[in-house]
Amino acid sequence: MPSKFRPLFNHSGLPKRFTFPFDYEPHPLAQQAAKEVMKDLRNLTSGIHNFQDIGKMFGVLVAYDQVGNLGYLAAFSGKLQCGNYYSYFVPPVFDMLDEEGFYRKGEGQLNQLNEQIRALENDPELRCLKTHYNRSLQDLEFELDEAKANYSTRKTVRKAMRKELAHEERVFELAAVKVAHEKESHYQQYVIKKIKGEIKDLQAQRTNALLPYQKHLKALKEQRKAKSNQLQQQLFEQYNFLNAKGETKNVLDLFGGEVPPAGTGECAAPKLLQFAYQHNFQPIAMAEFWWGNSPKKEIRKHWEFYPACKRKCEPVLGFMLQGLDVDEDPRANIKVKEALETIYEDDDLLVLNKPTEMLSAPGKIAVPNVLDLVKTNYPTATGPLLVHRLDQSTSGIIVIAKDKVTHSALQRQFEERTVKKRYEAQLDGELSTKSGKIELPLRVDLDNRPRQLVDEVHGRPAETYYQVMEVKDGKTRIHFFPVTGRTHQLRVHAAHQDGLNTPILGDDLYGKRADRLHLHAAQLTIVHPKLGEEITFKCDPPF
């Protein structure tokens, strides 16, 4: 029995199927294993990673070993501060940190090339050459600007003088002045042409002087690129994943020949399954949890369970789980009521109460959605057209335009942020503040759509005002007044540590699952496109 495998005792029962990794409630067996790892982490974390700075995702895999003993394996995602190998955790699929391995040696060669490139770019002689030519060019360009300005000024003066002489009919003087003016003009044009020629010659000299450096720099960069591509290809060749059928597939094949995202295969789940298959273990259940402080951009809570990431893990785990009897994706079997409650209707627009878990518009899977259902009821209308959308899990007011003119007018109001919106929510915790404003810029998490990240550099501005209505029994009822309308804006602003640090009850992406997401679009005020009057729609939350 490998030392990584630890027995599980006094369990209450086995799951019927293996865990669907992208949306799950941890089975009690996996929770039991995770709690044991959490208990051990209190003693293990000293010196191996600074969890106060930034935490880590850990995973557990409950399995039978080769002789039928029930136990669990543990792993961490990525690398811990001090490396890849710890007696408590399964090893990586491939150890990039092995000092004797090709990757570390290749990294060393790349670092040497980087140093050579930096040294050449900062070469004192090269910098001196550039400075000399740049200053000379600046001087000539200044002379050229002065010559052009002088030519323009004198041209105006000459024109005025000839006009005055012609007006006074001083014929002989005018003839002499024209000759003098023509000579002056030709001379000034000659000066301008001469300076332009000097600039062109100097630029050619500069190009010739810099050419040896540029050739050397280009050769070094091409060498670095070739080495980097070779190293990347060699690295991909090491990531060959197993599945429960005993089959093997390379990471490039799993991503259809495209370059996999950085860190693919380094998450806890692939490490655990790879180790289990290599040692003929039978996987039973799995769970991943966060330990330590949250990253600044993401929302991660200490001790809480999280699904596997999608962009890096979905192709890999999709293959590795083949041969196991896996739970169905619970998202594919969400039950929603197809009846849509009408809040308001006239000849131009329709206002509905969208149920929770119903899509606003058609998605990848053919399931009931607001737009299709409305189209069925209005087959001859030039619309209907969605004016805005609500997240799938959010219920409440959604506006439909019956024609394109109304749609355009209403969309303009949303774009110009003149629409007044109020959402009602229940937070999974008690807030001490009564009201305030949250400004956290958001962008999509490319590795884990549709989750959003807080990103001060690349995020789009997102602004929310809030008012606490009631704090009771560990929950907070709150009104949100979003100024912008970013995806998951209220959910992230509620859950993020720099926001309210208290997730919305039932938020399975940024908090904990419950009976539903307790977020409801309760009030909306627009200017009616035809009536020109402000109109407010209200819809009480069902929670």
Side-chain angles (χ1 to χ4, degrees):
M1 179 192 302
S3 61
K4 312 289 183 188
F5 188 73
R6 291 167 181 77
L8 269 177
F9 302 107
N10 303 320
H11 62 86
S12 56
L14 301 175
K16 293 181 180 179
R17 298 181 182 87
F18 189 76
T19 313
F20 177 77
F22 303 104
D23 191 350
Y24 63 89
E25 284 289 334
H27 188 272
L29 261 181
Q31 292 190 45
Q32 181 182 340
K35 286 177 182 176
E36 292 194 19
V37 175
M38 290 176 185
K39 181 175 63 178
D40 292 336
L41 273 172
R42 293 188 182 95
N43 301 320
L44 285 169
T45 54
S46 177
I48 66 170
H49 191 81
N50 184 3
F51 289 92
Q52 293 300 314
D53 183 27
I54 185 170
K56 272 285 173 187
M57 193 73 77
F58 288 82
V60 291
L61 177 69
V62 179
Y64 284 118
D65 69 2
Q66 308 95 322
V67 293
N69 297 312
L70 185 68
Y72 67 91
L73 301 165
F76 52 85
S77 289
K79 299 168 181 58
L80 292 179
Q81 198 163 296
C82 298
N84 266 327
Y85 286 97
Y86 299 92
S87 59
Y88 194 91
F89 302 107
V90 302
V93 176
F94 171 71
D95 183 14
M96 292 188 294
L97 300 184
D98 179 7
E99 294 297 337
E100 299 302 317
F102 75 87
Y103 190 79
R104 276 300 209 192
K105 291 178 180 177
E107 269 192 329
Q109 293 168 356
L110 282 175
N111 289 336
Q112 288 177 7
L113 285 170
N114 285 330
E115 284 298 322
Q116 290 179 50
I117 290 169
R118 276 194 291 270
L120 186 57
E121 288 174 334
N122 295 307
D123 183 275
E125 188 175 342
L126 176 63
R127 291 169 68 181
C128 186
L129 270 174
K130 285 182 176 180
T131 301
H132 166 70
Y133 282 112
N134 288 342
R135 284 176 179 171
S136 299
L137 278 171
Q138 285 174 3
D139 291 342
L140 283 172
E141 286 167 352
F142 179 75
E143 283 185 40
L144 180 62
D145 289 340
E146 279 196 324
K148 286 180 176 179
N150 187 41
Y151 176 78
S152 178
T153 301
R154 288 297 303 158
K155 184 179 180 181
T156 303
V157 170
R158 289 193 296 265
K159 185 177 180 181
M161 185 182 298
R162 291 194 301 272
K163 186 176 180 181
E164 183 180 349
L165 290 172
H167 178 70
E168 296 177 0
E169 298 183 353
R170 294 156 67 181
V171 179
F172 294 108
E173 288 181 62
L174 179 60
V177 164
K178 281 184 177 180
V179 172
H181 282 184
E182 189 174 345
K183 287 182 179 180
E184 182 184 45
S185 177
H186 285 167
Y187 176 74
Q188 288 182 319
Q189 289 178 40
Y190 162 76
V191 170
I192 290 172
K193 186 177 179 181
K194 181 174 176 293
I195 297 172
K196 285 182 176 179
E198 290 174 359
I199 289 174
K200 189 175 180 181
D201 290 342
L202 189 63
Q203 287 173 332
Q205 291 174 29
R206 183 180 186 274
T207 299
N208 291 332
L210 297 180
L211 192 59
Y213 293 94
Q214 290 171 340
K215 281 185 176 179
H216 189 192
L217 192 60
K218 183 181 178 183
L220 285 173
K221 287 183 176 180
E222 287 176 350
Q223 188 180 349
R224 179 178 65 180
K225 183 179 179 181
K227 182 61 187 177
S228 178
N229 290 339
Q230 177 199 350
L231 191 60
Q232 188 180 60
Q233 183 64 36
Q234 204 173 351
L235 179 63
F236 291 149
E237 290 170 358
Q238 310 307 310
Y239 282 86
N240 296 293
F241 297 98
L242 293 164
N243 67 14
K245 298 177 183 178
E247 299 167 338
T248 302
K249 214 164 190 178
N250 183 264
V251 67
L252 284 172
D253 297 325
L254 294 176
F255 280 84
E258 294 183 2
V259 177
T264 298
E266 293 294 309
C267 295
K271 289 182 183 180
L272 289 165
L273 288 169
Q274 187 84 345
F275 188 88
Y277 295 145
Q278 286 172 338
H279 293 86
N280 298 315
F281 287 9
Q282 175 61 40
I284 302 297
M286 184 170 63
E288 293 182 85
F289 63 90
W290 186 261
W291 184 267
N293 284 343
S294 176
K296 272 291 186 182
K297 290 184 178 181
E298 296 182 73
I299 296 169
R300 294 283 185 250
K301 304 292 184 183
H302 186 50
W303 294 11
E304 288 191 9
F305 292 97
Y306 289 91
C309 67
K310 290 184 180 178
R311 186 164 172 246
K312 290 186 285 189
C313 286
E314 203 159 31
V316 174
L317 294 182
F319 171 75
M320 297 187 84
L321 293 177
Q322 290 178 19
L324 295 180
D325 187 11
V326 181
D327 283 333
E328 292 183 358
D329 182 352
R331 299 166 298 183
N333 298 309
I334 292 173
K335 304 294 182 184
V336 295
K337 61 180 182 181
E338 294 191 18
L340 289 167
E341 176 192 348
T342 300
I343 299 170
Y344 173 90
E345 183 177 8
D346 61 22
D347 293 339
D348 307 302
L349 56 91
L350 177 66
V351 182
L352 302 171
N353 178 15
K354 185 187 87 68
T356 183
E357 298 307 334
M358 179 179 281
L359 291 169
S360 296
K364 293 180 180 179
I365 303 172
V367 293
N369 62 84
V370 173
L371 187 58
D372 283 348
L373 290 173
V374 175
K375 281 182 176 179
T376 302
N377 295 329
Y378 296 86
T380 60
T382 57
L385 299 165
L386 285 176
V387 177
H388 63 119
R389 300 188 184 205
L390 295 178
D391 290 343
Q392 181 175 357
S393 298
T394 304
S395 59
I397 298 169
I398 188 167
V399 181
I400 312 289
K402 290 185 177 180
D403 58 75
K404 292 181 180 179
V405 174
T406 303
H407 178 262
S408 178
L410 288 174
Q411 268 209 326
R412 190 157 50 250
Q413 292 183 40
F414 276 88
E415 289 168 0
E416 294 173 354
R417 300 176 186 172
T418 59
V419 176
K420 300 169 188 172
K421 296 171 280 185
R422 175 172 65 79
Y423 286 74
E424 192 160 334
Q426 245 192 334
L427 303 185
D428 193 10
E430 296 188 357
L431 282 190
S432 57
T433 57
K434 297 300 181 185
S435 63
K437 176 182 175 182
I438 307 163
E439 290 183 285
L440 296 174
L442 305 176
R443 70 165 175 85
V444 69
D445 183 349
L446 296 173
D447 288 333
N448 210 7
R449 296 174 184 270
R451 290 179 66 94
Q452 303 294 308
L453 299 176
V454 172
D455 191 331
E456 296 289 345
V457 177
H458 303 292
R460 299 173 69 192
E463 184 179 348
T464 305
Y465 289 87
Y466 68 91
Q467 178 72 50
V468 172
M469 306 309 294
E470 182 185 41
V471 178
K472 184 179 179 182
D473 300 330
K475 303 290 186 289
T476 300
R477 187 167 286 273
I478 191 170
H479 285 173
F480 286 118
F481 305 92
V483 178
T484 51
R486 310 300 180 207
T487 301
H488 295 179
Q489 176 174 320
L490 301 181
R491 298 168 72 170
V492 176
H493 280 186
H496 195 271
Q497 58 186 343
D498 293 332
L500 299 180
N501 199 28
T502 310
I504 296 172
L505 183 63
D507 192 340
D508 57 352
L509 287 179
Y510 309 103
K512 294 180 181 178
R513 191 190 304 273
D515 58 319
R516 59 155 290 166
L517 176 68
H518 285 232
L519 177 63
H520 182 80
Q523 185 170 308
L524 187 75
T525 301
I526 62 169
V527 174
H528 194 289
K530 291 284 181 68
L531 302 176
E533 298 173 355
E534 198 169 73
I535 182 168
T536 296
F537 311 109
K538 294 182 180 180
C539 178
D540 292 333
F543 49 80

